[in-house]
Amino acid sequence: MTLQTLTAHELLNLIKQKKTSAQEIYRSISSQIEKTEKDVHAYAHIFQNPKIEESRECPIPVAIKDNICITDKLTTCSSKILSGFRPPYNATVIEKLKNSGAVFIGHTNMDEFAFGSSTETSYYGPTHNPHKLECVPGGSSGGSAAAVAANEAIWALGSDTGGSIRQPAAFCGVVGLKPTYGRVSRYGLIAFASSLDQIGPITKDVRDAALLMNIIAGYDEKDSTSANIPIPDYTQALIDNVKGLKIGIPKEYFIEGLSEEVKRAVFNAIDLLKKQGAIFKEISLPHTAYAVATYYIVATAEASSNLARFDGVQYGLRIQPQKTRKNPIVDLYEETRDAGFGLEAKRRIMLGTYSLSSGYYDAYYLKGLKVRTLIKQDFEKAFETLDAIITPTTPTTAFKIGEKANDPLSMYLSDIYTISANLSGIPAISIPCATGKDNLPIGLQIMAKPFDEEMLFRISYTFEKNKNH
Amino acid sequence: MISQEDVQYVASLSRIHLKKDEVECLSKDLEKIVDYIKKLESLETANIQPTSHVLPIQNVFREDIIKPSLSQKEALHFSIEQHQGCFKVPKIIE
């Protein structure tokens, strides 16, 4: 049996018909991990003997990004500074998965503290793209996307601050959803940029993403930024019909830097949806060109503040200074943080501290927040007359490991299409839409109004249903 | 222009003791990134309200009722070093 290649809804059907069991599904994932993990390196930590209960509603093997807390399990953000850290509590999404009977396979590899677009900045070394091992899986949730693509998990959770679910989903040929800001509780997600971070599903198909959203979404009093808005049954939104839906194509997303094959794949997808009755029109999101610069001000400012808590005092790594430079406690902070953070983490903490520091605050941080308003207004205006917006998820397919590692700015620009959804808080999904050269997958991004994940599911589902016909 | 002195200053604000080669490397990187970020200067934003948060949420209150939380023992379970129920750190005051 090749159970590991099936989707969760297929597996749940087989369980219902008593054709397989939770144990059997887990064993198929385990043996797949044995086979491919040495090449792919999707996991930072694999859990031994996870709890499997046959009688539960949803005993599906799930991989969790290494920045989501699980009681007593190593949770390290793939950073040296959290070496040995085992949280004393579960994130809310973990509690919810646990209550549904999910089987936790391991914590997946990621860019250190989610700082990156390639999973190369992990303290544990890079993850490899299952479709082509010399290529990156994307990032920062590269381990989660690779685990699902390599059949080393049925479901995965990632987190998305500037594209960290959607970009690796596109590179690995799987479905990745960034929910509306506030839709999924961030309680127990180790914060990178609190006003941008969202946890979301990475799955093999659209139905699985809806099933997983049904489990993890919802108001949580433990997260004061979670939205107290009722959650629909997302599987009801899996409708094969886009007749009359108005979808925008932003001209600013089809510019220099977008590869021909990605552009062609996106327009083929648009043609398919047109044939199904969707109405397309070219639109303008005039502040798109400012999104990456705005993001790197806002995200790093918040990160520099959030990462101040890693100081060698309470948990994780501590470097005991050998001699006194400033004073014993400051030396302990400074040497622990020097030894514990990798270069990209330092770069971002420094950039954030710089833009928040006296004399630069107005010119950089405040300016960034104002441009964020302009970017958000672009979308508000567009959605006055539109149901959704369609773009490529990434300008190119997966790049080679090492190709952008020494050029931070060019790495940052690889997130150019995904960042705006985080800045404006809207939901966005990436679904596989074609295969490019070297067998590398191409992702299609769909964005919708705040709290209208159902629109994303409807359009994605229609595309998925009709693409092979 | 971001000098190596600027980098040292920001590093000390960030409580990171950088090695010499890191100072050189970060000064070049930050220079490039800040240069890129300066493209925002071309936008007129005098009358634009800043967005620090996308949802219209303000002052989220709850009833002041005690709920179960971590015990001191659980909270300290994975501490690096502890002493009499507290996190232990080096001497702070001479």
Side-chain angles (χ1 to χ4, degrees):
Chain A
M1 277 270 245
T2 51
L3 294 169
Q4 72 277 11
T5 63
L6 301 181
T7 61
H9 58 88
E10 290 164 337
L11 291 168
L12 292 171
N13 272 335
L14 289 179
I15 292 176
K16 219 186 209 162
Q17 297 162 20
K18 305 214 183 309
K19 286 185 180 155
T20 189
S21 66
Q23 279 291 349
E24 207 175 33
I25 296 167
Y26 171 69
R27 278 199 301 275
S28 74
I29 290 291
S30 266
S31 64
Q32 181 71 24
I33 288 175
E34 235 162 78
K35 242 187 289 171
T36 51
E37 175 62 4
K38 60 179 189 309
D39 295 326
V40 176
H41 189 224
Y43 288 94
H45 320 284
I46 294 175
F47 306 148
Q48 298 307 314
N49 307 314
K51 197 170 175 187
I52 303 167
E53 291 173 281
E54 295 291 346
S55 57
R56 303 301 292 279
E57 174 200 345
C58 207
I60 294 299
V62 56
I64 306 293
K65 191 174 180 179
D66 195 24
N67 59 354
I68 300 174
C69 290
I70 307 181
T71 308
D72 284 351
K73 301 288 187 203
L74 283 174
T75 306
T76 65
C77 290
S78 299
S79 175
K80 186 180 175 187
I81 208 160
L82 275 169
S83 307
F85 175 59
R86 293 171 190 268
Y89 65 96
N90 276 330
T92 296
V93 290
I94 298 300
E95 278 300 313
K96 289 178 172 227
L97 279 167
K98 207 174 128 195
N99 292 338
S100 76
V103 178
F104 297 100
I105 302 299
H107 265 133
T108 54
N109 199 24
M110 57 185 277
D111 279 297
E112 183 182 9
F113 284 102
F115 297 157
S117 315
S118 66
T119 317
E120 291 170 287
T121 68
S122 164
Y123 175 58
Y124 308 112
T127 294
H128 299 256
N129 191 312
H131 295 273
K132 195 171 187 231
L133 294 171
E134 311 92 277
C135 289
V136 302
S140 65
S141 314
S144 288
V148 173
N151 299 316
E152 294 185 18
I154 303 297
W155 281 348
L157 289 185
S159 68
D160 191 314
T161 307
S164 281
I165 288 175
R166 290 160 286 155
Q167 186 254 22
F171 280 8
C172 291
V174 293
V175 173
L177 170 68
K178 182 202 90 75
T180 310
Y181 184 83
R183 204 35 139 169
V184 176
S185 169
R186 293 185 296 114
Y187 178 76
L189 168 68
I190 299 174
F192 158 9
S194 310
S195 82
L196 305 165
D197 297 343
Q198 265 293 285
I199 295 172
I202 296 177
T203 58
K204 291 177 193 169
D205 73 356
V206 177
R207 181 175 293 277
D208 268 14
L211 283 173
L212 187 44
M213 272 299 280
N214 275 356
I215 296 173
I216 63 170
Y219 173 68
D220 178 16
E221 61 172 20
K222 287 178 176 160
D223 172 4
S224 61
T225 61
S226 94
N228 199 350
I229 296 174
I231 302 296
D233 173 0
Y234 288 111
T235 60
Q236 296 295 313
L238 302 169
I239 304 163
D240 178 7
N241 182 356
V242 290
K243 265 191 202 82
L245 291 185
K246 292 192 257 335
I247 304 176
I249 308 170
K251 62 174 189 227
E252 291 82 0
Y253 282 61
F254 296 86
I255 45 158
E256 200 194 317
L258 172 62
S259 79
E260 266 311 309
E261 59 172 359
V262 174
K263 188 175 165 184
R264 204 174 330 118
V266 170
F267 277 103
N268 285 342
I270 288 169
D271 280 343
L272 185 151
L273 289 166
K274 251 185 215 165
K275 283 199 190 102
Q276 298 300 314
I279 302 157
F280 282 87
K281 86 174 203 206
E282 187 183 280
I283 60 158
S284 172
L285 299 168
H287 296 94
T288 300
Y290 302 97
V292 174
T294 304
Y295 175 81
Y296 278 92
I297 293 174
V298 174
T300 60
E302 293 185 24
S304 72
S305 165
N306 275 324
L307 270 63
R309 62 170 65 89
F310 305 109
D311 55 8
V313 169
Q314 295 168 4
Y315 43 75
L317 180 77
R318 176 184 288 186
I319 301 293
Q320 209 64 255
Q322 292 309 307
K323 55 175 199 273
T324 308
R325 283 181 306 111
K326 294 182 176 168
N327 76 52
I329 187 71
V330 172
D331 292 347
L332 182 145
Y333 298 150
E334 293 195 341
E335 291 186 27
T336 300
R337 286 164 67 80
D338 179 43
F341 289 131
L343 189 59
E344 182 60 21
K346 288 174 186 167
R347 201 179 276 135
R348 299 218 192 179
I349 292 170
M350 299 272 295
L351 182 59
T353 306
Y354 179 77
S355 74
L356 289 172
S357 66
S358 166
Y360 296 105
Y361 181 92
D362 283 359
Y364 295 114
Y365 184 63
L366 189 63
K367 185 82 183 181
L369 295 185
K370 288 181 167 188
V371 180
R372 184 177 185 182
T373 304
L374 296 173
I375 293 167
K376 188 167 173 261
Q377 286 172 348
D378 282 355
F379 283 96
E380 285 163 358
K381 192 158 169 269
F383 284 125
E384 281 172 11
T385 56
L386 293 173
D387 296 302
I389 292 173
I390 278 189
T391 74
T393 309
T394 57
T396 64
T397 55
F399 44 89
K400 287 219 166 63
I401 292 177
E403 190 181 319
K404 298 187 183 192
N406 298 318
D407 185 356
L409 196 55
S410 108
M411 186 73 90
Y412 297 174
L413 287 167
S414 72
D415 295 334
I416 193 155
Y417 299 145
T418 47
I419 273 173
S420 296
N422 301 78
L423 290 171
S424 22
I426 60 174
I429 196 169
S430 176
I431 55 171
C433 73
T435 306
K437 67 171 185 299
D438 292 340
N439 200 31
L440 288 168
I442 297 172
L444 177 75
Q445 177 174 242
I446 311 169
M447 301 185 263
K449 290 172 201 151
F451 302 103
D452 197 6
E453 282 81 3
E454 289 158 288
M455 182 58 69
L456 304 181
F457 284 130
R458 181 171 167 190
I459 299 170
S460 307
Y461 185 75
T462 303
F463 178 78
E464 197 180 76
K465 276 272 151 195
N466 295 286
K467 79 171 164 182
N468 299 323
H469 296 208
Chain B
M1 174 71 194
I2 297 186
S3 65
Q4 296 196 12
E5 289 72 43
D6 293 334
V7 170
Q8 294 279 19
Y9 171 67
V10 176
S12 84
L13 290 177
S14 311
R15 293 279 192 236
I16 300 175
H17 177 62
L18 293 176
K19 297 173 206 74
K20 197 169 172 297
D21 58 325
E22 290 177 318
V23 174
E24 282 168 26
C25 160
L26 285 171
S27 128
K28 280 190 208 122
D29 289 351
L30 292 180
E31 168 100 27
K32 252 201 244 171
I33 297 165
V34 169
D35 228 35
Y36 177 76
I37 283 170
K38 285 202 170 126
K39 74 192 283 184
L40 299 187
E41 285 172 7
S42 65
L43 283 174
E44 175 51 52
T45 53
N47 298 315
I48 306 292
Q49 287 298 312
T51 297
S52 54
H53 202 271
V54 290
L55 297 177
I57 295 177
Q58 278 163 349
N59 296 338
V60 178
F61 292 118
R62 59 168 172 79
E63 292 304 311
D64 188 13
I65 298 165
I66 295 175
K67 290 186 180 167
S69 59
L70 291 180
S71 66
Q72 191 177 21
K73 201 176 149 212
E74 287 168 312
L76 284 167
H77 186 63
F78 292 109
S79 64
I80 300 167
E81 210 179 340
Q82 51 175 295
H83 180 65
Q84 295 182 347
C86 297
F87 294 107
K88 192 179 168 192
V89 293
K91 194 163 71 175
I92 292 170
I93 303 163
E94 291 298 325

